[in-house]
Amino acid sequence: MPVRNRFAELLPEITEWRHDFHQHPELMYDVHRTAGLVEERLKSFGCDEVVPGIGKTGVVGIIRGRSTDSGRVIGLRADMDALPIHEETGLDYASRTPGKMHACGHDGHTAILLGAAKYLAETRNFNGTVVLLFQPAEEGGAGGKAMVDDGVMERWGVQEVYGLHNTPGLPVGHFATRVGGLLASSDEFEIEVTGKGGHAAAPHETIDTTLVAAQIVVSLHSIVSRNVDPIHRVVLTVGTFETDSTASNVIAHRAKLKGTVRTLDAENRKLAEERVRRVAEDTASAFGATATVTWDPGYPVTENTAEEVAHAVEAARAVSDNVDSDTAPIMPSEDFAYMLESRPGAYIFLGNGDTAMCHHPAYQFDDSAMPFGCSWFVELCERRMPGA
């Protein structure tokens, strides 16, 4: 079950695109160079429409099949932004911008979708319309939500939407996905604890904020073990702990905790917020202190729909003999979730071989994975919109 022969021919060109993106990483919504090149290439492929500025700096390309009387419209998504990481790969095409790196493979995702776009524009061997969604600000900026909020689904009548992400540790040429929650929601919290500061030699005259905050940290970690059904996945992490004093002989007046909660369903997401607030506030109160909790909702669960997973798996099996249709969910988050809240669809993992994990300064994208990704996008479109 091979990749399309055309992508073996196109691989040097697609690789050149990716290496150029890799050398010039851009963050969040500031992807003007990348988006400009995407727009330029889509126009050169002969796309029927190319529209920049969707979701601030996103780019949309439209390719109509030889016929469109099926009325079917499919969205294909790739993310374009990099990370604020200093690259340590030693590659000859490494980032030229200190402190910025494509450490999550979005350069590869963009190149893959461009390769698929070139092929689809050349052949148009489908009955319907393909909407190409090149998205900014996946890494914390909710660019997917920005495009949805900008009306991208309604404007072009997208009925279902698909995306992929490279996966270190999964062999090149392998695919994996599942029905339901594939990646976790990600919410952040901040807890400010106020006690009564004073001299370390007279703790009885204070309300020891550091002690209170430490007790809150310990108690928060009981939420998962004692409030969540053991067969469900919830991760709670307190990432920072700081006080308003750095002196060893001072009992601080205030302390601040910051953390994250990740879940795979809405019920546990709501439960986690309720319990974090109650544990923090009541623990502080028990010591005579106060705790103020600020909850910052992040990306929702990336939740695949059953029918669309079946289509994604069928397309993957046309490309590869190695497809896991019931892979275990993982706890990172992904703002493709917003597109899946807006439309049914599926997200799939694409093997990236033996490399450092995503978000690591030594991470490397494997160019040999790109023909598999390109072929999957094309198979998906031609199988979902046959009869051209």
Side-chain angles (χ1 to χ4, degrees):
M1 294 184 181
V3 300
R4 299 280 176 120
N5 290 334
R6 178 66 171 133
F7 291 119
E9 299 169 3
L10 288 173
L11 183 56
E13 183 178 11
I14 298 171
T15 299
E16 184 178 339
W17 299 339
R18 187 190 78 78
H19 290 187
D20 180 66
F21 293 142
H22 191 88
Q23 287 180 310
H24 302 93
E26 298 174 299
L27 305 182
M28 298 286 280
Y29 290 98
D30 187 21
V31 290
H32 300 286
R33 181 185 186 275
T34 305
L37 288 172
V38 166
E39 179 185 357
E40 177 184 307
R41 287 181 181 130
L42 292 177
K43 288 178 177 177
S44 75
F45 301 159
C47 290
D48 297 290
E49 294 180 56
V50 180
V51 183
I54 304 298
K56 298 183 181 178
T57 48
V59 180
V60 174
I62 307 299
I63 303 173
R64 298 186 180 93
R66 295 178 188 174
S67 174
T68 59
D69 56 18
S70 73
R72 189 172 297 281
V73 183
I74 293 179
L76 307 178
R77 175 269 201 172
D79 36 16
M80 300 186 289
D81 58 322
L83 283 157
I85 294 175
H86 184 76
E87 183 164 352
E88 296 178 4
T89 62
L91 294 168
D92 57 4
Y93 59 87
S95 171
R96 295 180 180 178
T97 307
K100 297 180 184 180
M101 176 192 175
H102 270 292
C104 204
H106 295 185
D107 51 341
H109 303 164
T110 299
I112 285 170
L113 189 53
L114 282 173
K118 182 166 185 172
Y119 182 97
L120 291 167
E122 287 175 351
T123 60
R124 300 182 185 262
N125 189 32
F126 56 93
N127 183 343
T129 303
V130 174
V131 180
L132 307 161
L133 306 165
F134 290 89
Q135 179 210 302
E138 191 282 323
E139 298 291 357
K145 184 177 187 298
M147 293 189 80
V148 170
D149 289 348
D150 229 358
V152 69
M153 301 300 180
E154 294 80 12
R155 180 170 174 180
W156 284 283
V158 175
Q159 298 163 343
E160 56 197 77
V161 64
Y162 299 86
L164 58 74
H165 201 292
N166 76 94
T167 304
L170 187 67
V172 170
H174 288 220
F175 291 87
T177 189
R178 72 188 309 271
V179 175
L182 180 65
L183 294 107
S185 62
S186 178
D187 300 325
E188 295 184 355
F189 61 83
E190 180 177 294
I191 302 171
E192 185 168 308
V193 183
T194 304
K196 180 181 178 183
H199 200 290
H204 60 291
E205 297 178 357
T206 73
I207 298 173
D208 191 339
T209 310
T210 303
L211 174 64
V212 176
Q215 189 64 49
I216 290 173
V217 172
V218 173
S219 298
L220 286 175
H221 284 90
S222 72
I223 292 173
V224 175
S225 65
R226 290 298 176 266
N227 297 123
V228 176
D229 186 327
I231 67 172
H232 294 172
R233 294 193 183 195
V234 176
V235 177
L236 185 152
T237 299
V238 177
T240 68
F241 186 135
E242 60 182 23
T243 70
D244 62 3
S245 171
T246 59
S248 61
N249 63 345
V250 170
I251 292 176
H253 186 63
R254 290 187 178 85
K256 185 179 291 184
L257 312 173
K258 293 182 181 180
T260 180
V261 176
R262 296 167 184 268
T263 70
L264 285 166
D265 61 80
E267 183 178 343
N268 279 323
R269 192 180 189 189
K270 181 180 179 182
L271 170 68
E273 180 181 358
E274 292 173 348
R275 294 301 297 152
V276 167
R277 291 185 184 278
R278 176 63 65 84
V279 166
E281 293 168 358
D282 288 1
T283 301
S285 178
F287 284 89
T290 60
T292 302
V293 180
T294 302
W295 191 267
D296 184 14
Y299 296 171
V301 177
T302 302
E303 193 154 2
N304 289 335
T305 47
E307 182 178 348
E308 285 65 35
V309 167
H311 300 317
V313 168
E314 179 188 25
R317 286 178 174 155
V319 176
S320 172
D321 289 320
N322 300 290
V323 181
D324 181 356
S325 62
D326 192 24
T327 194
I330 58 175
M331 301 311 285
S333 60
E334 162 62 61
D335 83 339
F336 186 66
Y338 292 109
M339 294 190 179
L340 290 175
E341 285 189 331
S342 175
R343 294 293 186 273
Y347 201 55
I348 198 166
F349 296 140
L350 170 67
N352 192 48
D354 184 17
T355 181
M357 65 188 296
C358 292
H359 292 222
H360 189 283
Y363 163 88
Q364 294 186 37
F365 186 91
D366 192 325
D367 291 325
S368 67
M370 292 196 289
F372 291 94
C374 294
S375 296
W376 177 73
F377 274 132
V378 169
E379 287 286 350
L380 188 60
C381 293
E382 292 185 355
R383 287 169 180 270
R384 289 296 290 134
M385 299 184 288

